[in-house]
Amino acid sequence: MTSLTVTSPATVAGSTAAAPPVFSGRIITGLVGVLLAVLVAGLNETVIKVALADIRGGLGIGYDEGTWLVAGYAATSVAAAAFAPWCAVTFSLRRFTLAAIAVFVLLGVLCPFAPSFESLLVLRIVQGLAAGALPPMLMTVALRFLPPGVKLYGLAGYALTATFGPGIGTPLAGLWTEHVGWQWTFWQIIVPALIAMLAVGYGIPQDPVRLERLKAFNWRGLLLGFPAICMLVVGILQGNRLDWFESGLICFLLAGGLVLMVLFMVNEWSQEVPFFNLQMLGIRNLSFALITLAGVLVVLLAVILIPSSYLAQVQGYRPWQTAPVMLLMAGPQLIALPLVAALCNLRWVDCRWVLGIGLSMLALSCIGGSQITSVWIRDDFYVLQLLQIFGQPMAVLPLLMLATGSIHPTQGPFASAWFNTVKGLAAVIATGVLETLTTARQHLHSTMLVDRLGNSPLADSDSAGLAHRIHMQALVLTSSDLYLCMAGIALALILLIFWLPTRMYPPRAPT
């Protein structure tokens, strides 16, 4: 049988395994502090995206410039997740986490005061670097400090970053832009980040600083991997706006990023202390978890973006008016995730079945969403969101259990790098795919509707109103297509469960 409790070797990646500190309230405080910092970092990115129109109006910048603010932040955020675990081991987990939070909150304070677009872009790029360094710390703390009996609950906290965080972003964006001021989309991080620093400083044990690791620093890997990830992320996020391969810039970014990524992987395979342990991909459950996680995150992002976009474009909703739909899905995650963790912690429960049921609920929700019409309002999405309440945690938490239960504890930093980099890239790819599908299907449906209309007398009676109706109907049909596509992805992931993962038992059955 397989269990989350694994006897670890004495050394992994050149580091000696130390006995974990005694589990106590201080450890819980530290874990909550890291979780709060990670949630705030995720909310910062989501809220800025949702409120970007108001921010652009407040700062007097154009649409194109606004897209670079999003792309620059995302690029360094994803890239930082790949290299942060190595830095945490070298400079100590506690000090590195505190430094990342401090930089993150300081730059957030300064962003609204940026004197120019260029300076704001630099601030957001560096802030993304600090924000991206935080999620790997959460998984590292959960794997390293929590005893077997509560480890799944710690992983449930990590799962909140994929279920609760993205859903709460729209309500917060609406709150700040409608009732306070666009500046607070940047400043909302101040108080929770300071609380997180206090909790981390109090609760996370201080490791010795290991500066001797700098002598064996993988400089080649950093110089290849960091720009590779940044180029791919920017290329994907800007691709739809610049018409993909019709743009020389996009061709350069994607082709150059892929070449550098291949060279990076070749370098990592031969490194004694790599950033990514490629040999770990031979672990069946870990590989399955990474593949499935990417697909699940595409679906989770879609079920947030599709109703938000539909309500905004077809019904004219502002973010604050869309908030109840998002809150109905996000708020209950605070209860659903611990319940799913308790379920997976039962020895007789096979987490693969939990995963299959969760994916089925996501697929059913998307199939229901594909019946959308132009008369749907906010209330019509509530039933779909109810399916998401348990569907999302049941689709995410078993993946964390399958992945982390198959590795040695001292391989935690490597697993963290893999998981968080895949998570970040999957979110970026999902955004690019959804934007491209949306554009393509809108064009297709608009063309088909115009062709069917033909030479109807309606075309001459009210051409402006008719064009608007055609555009609205194309948006509705596109939303239906996207829902069906997401349902297909969820069903395809269910099929993988039957032949890829092996049974994983919890650390211990609750008594």
Side-chain angles (χ1 to χ4, degrees), residues 3 38 50 104 200 209 216 250 293 305 307 350 389 398 406 421 430 474:
S3 170
V38 173
V50 175
F104 172 71
V200 170
V209 178
I250 298 301
L293 176 69
L305 292 181
D350 189 336
I389 291 174
S406 305
T421 303

Side-chain angles (χ1 to χ4, degrees), residues 34-48:
V34 180
L35 173 60
L36 180 59
V38 173
L39 287 175
V40 169
L43 284 175
N44 178 259
E45 181 175 14
T46 303
V47 169
I48 296 300

Side-chain angles (χ1 to χ4, degrees), residues 88-417:
V89 175
T90 303
F91 301 107
S92 87
L93 175 62
R94 178 177 154 186
R95 291 182 180 179
F96 182 75
T97 304
L98 289 173
I101 299 174
V103 173
F104 172 71
V105 70
L106 175 61
L107 296 179
V109 173
L110 296 177
C111 279
F113 301 108
S116 64
F117 164 73
E118 290 76 13
S119 59
L120 177 60
L121 180 60
V122 171
L123 290 175
R124 287 294 289 172
I125 288 174
V126 180
Q127 190 183 31
L129 196 65
L134 293 172
M137 302 303 101
L138 177 59
M139 178 173 281
T140 301
V141 170
L143 293 177
R144 178 179 171 189
F145 296 128
L146 297 184
V150 297
K151 196 177 292 290
L152 282 180
Y153 296 96
L155 293 176
Y158 177 84
L160 276 176
T161 64
T163 59
F164 174 78
I168 205 70
T170 298
L172 281 176
L175 173 65
W176 304 131
T177 56
E178 297 286 344
H179 302 289
V180 185
W182 63 267
Q183 295 90 342
W184 284 93
T185 59
F186 293 99
W187 294 341
Q188 64 174 345
I189 66 175
I190 298 174
V191 173
L194 293 177
I195 295 174
M197 290 185 69
L198 292 175
V200 170
Y202 171 77
I204 300 298
Q206 178 60 57
D207 296 330
V209 178
R210 304 183 58 197
L211 298 180
E212 69 277 4
R213 286 167 53 87
L214 293 173
K215 298 178 180 178
F217 184 66
N218 183 9
W219 289 104
R220 188 183 298 124
L222 177 65
L223 295 177
L224 290 172
F226 193 90
I229 295 173
C230 289
M231 291 172 71
L232 290 174
V233 170
V234 173
I236 293 171
L237 291 181
Q238 293 285 3
N240 188 60
R241 183 178 70 86
L242 298 178
D243 200 17
W244 291 103
F245 297 109
E246 297 300 320
S247 167
L249 175 61
I250 298 301
C251 291
F252 168 74
L253 289 173
L254 295 181
L258 286 173
V259 171
L260 289 177
M261 182 60 70
V262 171
L263 295 176
F264 172 67
M265 291 300 176
V266 171
N267 175 77
E268 295 302 283
W269 182 268
S270 59
Q271 282 290 323
E272 180 180 354
V273 186
F275 294 111
F276 284 93
N277 189 340
L278 297 181
Q279 288 78 1
M280 288 180 65
L281 295 180
I283 302 174
R284 189 170 177 174
N285 281 356
L286 177 62
S287 297
F288 165 78
L290 293 175
I291 294 171
T292 308
L293 176 69
V296 167
L297 288 175
V298 172
V299 178
L300 296 190
L301 182 63
V303 298
I304 293 175
L305 292 181
I306 295 173
S308 298
S309 177
Y310 167 86
L311 290 173
Q313 297 184 62
V314 177
Q315 304 299 349
Y317 280 35
R318 291 278 294 168
W320 184 246
Q321 296 172 299
T322 309
V325 179
M326 300 295 106
L327 286 174
L328 180 63
M329 177 179 61
Q333 297 298 313
L334 298 173
I335 300 175
L337 269 166
L339 292 178
V340 174
L343 178 66
C344 292
N345 218 19
L346 296 170
R347 191 169 184 80
W348 54 270
V349 174
D350 189 336
C351 68
R352 295 175 297 180
W353 286 101
V354 177
L355 173 62
I357 294 172
L359 290 171
S360 299
M361 295 176 74
L362 294 180
L364 183 60
S365 173
C366 292
I367 291 173
S370 68
Q371 306 304 309
I372 190 172
T373 68
S374 58
V375 299
W376 276 34
I377 58 175
R378 182 174 64 195
D379 296 350
D380 294 296
F381 289 95
Y382 287 155
V383 175
L384 304 181
Q385 303 303 76
L386 289 174
L387 288 170
Q388 302 283 336
I389 291 174
F390 280 96
Q392 291 194 13
M394 292 176 74
V396 175
L397 190 56
L399 293 176
L400 295 171
M401 181 177 174
L402 286 168
T404 58
S406 305
I407 62 173
H408 295 300
T410 47
Q411 291 176 309
F414 291 132
S416 181

